[in-house]
């Protein structure tokens, strides 16, 4: 069976993707920073610690494993951290991507980059693949640069942009809006939640399924893969509270200008996923169904 190399293996998206790839019978070459935090064992899962900012660590893995497909998920993903540590963000999100492309071109046939709705300025919203990027955060800027590197690669490539990914908390993984809202409500902690940032939030399982479609079909080019429903974090939080039987009074509706975050966030993003639905057969689930399932699993 084909070998798929996945970077950022200990991250939220990678953990869901690796679980799905193993279920589908692929051999997964998983690389992450430091020891594995993947709470799964499988003879078809090979984990290699590799810091992508150290150029040769992953080249040796590539030479040894010769993966047919590379799925590049590793990145500095905290938008505020990227704004405060711009050089580090550029080294990781751009220069490490350039290095990985060079390594992959020698050994792999297909390269997939995960990118973001933050490549857009947030003026229009519901973006399609042909809309012009205009990032307003350093994180978004680094992703635009990474996309440009991939588009000039000497091998087949796909760029998958997604938006506000949510899922159950992963061991040692970053928080996401579902895990953050749910853990705050469970602790009885009042939280301020924005109601003027518009997104099409994406269940991590749906994103993993979409990435699998791109792998299977070797679907070259640019794809917007996200949920279909336009929501704000506040409306998401109200639904999460209701589903979990929590007190919605703990949620205070605010607007983004009440946040003094170092990293600017585009107000109106979200994706029109018509192209992915038509050409890939991508079909995300409903937000309410996903949080019901996650809440049940979380409660077990
Ligand atoms: N989450 C979201 O809402 C969205 C995510 N994306 C993109 O999807 C991809 C995956 O995101 P997500 O899973 O949420 O992010 P996470 O932050 O959960 O995972 C990113 C992973 O990259 C790893 N990493 C960071 N620096 C290095 C390095 N120098 N060497 C090796 N690994 C490194 C991190 O390691 P460690 O665990 O040690 O920190 C982490 O496991 C990213 O490219 C992101 O930009 C796009 C749109 C939305
Ligand atoms: C911390 C906080 C967040 N929020 C909202 C803002 C945001 O929409 C959502 C999640 O908070 P974050 O700061 O993690 O969101 P943010 O960093 O904006 O998330 C981004 O992550 C990167 C990786 C992406 O690529 C983007 O698509 C997007 O998902 O919750 C509140 O309403 N109140 C709060 O106190």
């Amino acid at each position: 069976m084909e070998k798929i190399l996945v970077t950022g293996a200990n991250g939220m998206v990678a953990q869901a993707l690796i679980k799905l790839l193993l279920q589908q019978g692929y051999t997964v070459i998983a690389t992450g920073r430091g020891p594995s935090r993947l709470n799964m064992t499988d003879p078809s899962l090979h984990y290699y610690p590799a810091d992508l900012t150290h150029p040769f660590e992953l080249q040796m893995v590539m030479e040894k494993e010769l993966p047919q497909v590379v799925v590049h998920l590793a990145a500095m993903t905290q938008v505020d951290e990227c704004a405060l540590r711009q050089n580090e963000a550029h080294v990781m999100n751009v220069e490490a991507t350039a290095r990985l492309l060079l390594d992959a071109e020698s050994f792999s046939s297909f390269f997939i980059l995960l990118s973001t709705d933050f490549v857009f300025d947030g003026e229009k919203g519901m973006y399609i693949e042909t809309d012009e990027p205009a990032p307003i955060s350093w994180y978004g800027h680094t992703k635009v640069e990474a996309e440009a590197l991939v588009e000039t690669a000497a091998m087949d490539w796909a760029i998958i942009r997604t938006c506000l990914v949510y899922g159950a908390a992963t061991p040692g993984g970053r928080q996401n809006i579902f895990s953050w809202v749910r853990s705050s409500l469970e602790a009885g902690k009042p939280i301020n939640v924005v109601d003027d940032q518009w997104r099409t939030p994406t269940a991590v399982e749906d994103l993993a399924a979409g990435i699998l479609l791109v792998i299977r079909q070797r679907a070259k080019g640019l794809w917007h893969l996200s949920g279909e429903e336009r929501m704000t974090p506040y409306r998401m939080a109200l639904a999460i509270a209701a589903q979990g039987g929590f007190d919605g009074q703990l949620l205070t509706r605010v607007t983004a200008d009440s946040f003094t975050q170092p990293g600017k966030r585009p107000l109106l993003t979200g994706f029109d996923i018509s192209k992915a639905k038509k050409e890939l057969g991508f079909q995300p689930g409903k937000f309410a169904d996903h949080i019901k399932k996650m809440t049940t699993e979380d409660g077990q």
Side-chain angles (χ1 to χ4, degrees), residues 199-259:
R199 305 282 184 261
T200 47
T202 310
V204 71
E205 285 79 12
D206 284 341
L207 178 59
I211 297 170
L212 178 62
L213 287 171
V214 171
I215 291 171
R216 279 218 173 111
Q217 300 172 38
R218 295 291 196 273
K220 292 187 282 188
L222 184 55
W223 303 96
H224 286 179
L225 301 185
S226 73
E228 281 191 286
E229 300 155 287
R230 281 190 83 224
M231 301 184 81
T232 68
Y234 181 67
R235 293 159 196 245
M236 295 169 72
L238 285 176
I240 294 164
Q243 181 61 50
F246 296 112
D247 178 4
Q249 298 303 314
L250 289 169
L251 305 174
T252 301
R253 179 186 176 281
V254 295
T255 53
D257 55 15
S258 62
F259 280 164

Side-chain angles (χ1 to χ4, degrees), residues 77 79 116-118 139 164 180 192-194 197 233 259 265:
T77 61
V79 176
T116 170
D117 56 327
F118 278 31
Y139 163 73
L164 194 53
W180 165 68
N192 298 329
V193 196
V194 288
Q197 283 182 4
F259 280 164
R265 265 71 171 182

Side-chain angles (χ1 to χ4, degrees), residues 5 8 12 15 49 67-68 71 136 142 168 175 183 194-195 229 255 276:
L5 186 144
M12 172 173 57
Q15 293 205 28
Q68 285 83 7
V71 185
I136 62 170
T142 64
Q175 282 273 40
S183 57
V194 288
D195 197 28
E229 300 155 287
T255 53

